[in-house]
Amino acid sequence: HSPRSGFTLLELIVVVAIIGLLATFILVALRTARQRAREVRIRADVDTIRKHAELVYDRDGRYQALGVSDCVNPASTEEVNVLVEDIRDLGGCLTITVRDETTFQNYCAAASLDGTNRRFCVDSTNNVLEAANVGCFETSEDTYCSETP
């Protein structure tokens, strides 16, 4: 008998199975990384809205430039609307609530994070919250982020 060269069928099947498992792990990790990247971008967009609101408030003494937005209707200003649309394109949904649409003294902005049940919320009192049960709430004098009981 001469020594055999090459691989047996069983050895090839084992190698293909190992490569398949490795590819599966890589694809799952890549999907998770993409989802986290979208969430980071949504958080950054909401934080940019917060910064924009504070700059406008420092200049005008009110948050009127924010406008009011929900998941369907755009914001009333182009600067904010670009961010609202970016959040929507990333799979999120942003709601901006202003307490008094004549004085524009308080606001709250909350965005869903990429189709999950978690939300990211900022408001005019500098609250920044992230949880499944976070949203914008209103009283007769204020609009703010809070967790629901």
Side-chain angles (χ1 to χ4, degrees), residues 71-83:
C71 295
V72 177
N73 298 309
S76 60
T77 62
E78 186 60 31
E79 298 88 354
V80 175
N81 199 38
V82 167
L83 297 166

Side-chain angles (χ1 to χ4, degrees), residues 33-97:
R34 284 182 179 164
Q35 181 175 352
R36 286 185 182 152
R38 284 190 296 267
E39 289 179 5
V40 166
R41 214 162 121 201
I42 289 171
R43 283 187 203 97
D45 285 347
V46 173
D47 192 53
T48 300
I49 289 170
R50 181 189 60 78
K51 290 173 184 174
H52 174 71
E54 295 306 322
L55 288 171
V56 168
Y57 187 83
D58 286 346
R59 183 188 70 204
D60 300 339
R62 54 197 231 155
Y63 294 108
Q64 184 173 5
L66 271 180
V68 177
S69 173
D70 59 31
C71 295
V72 177
N73 298 309
S76 60
T77 62
E78 186 60 31
E79 298 88 354
V80 175
N81 199 38
V82 167
L83 297 166
V84 170
E85 289 181 13
D86 188 46
I87 290 170
R88 189 180 308 135
D89 291 345
L90 293 167
C93 170
L94 177 76
T95 302
I96 299 174
T97 305

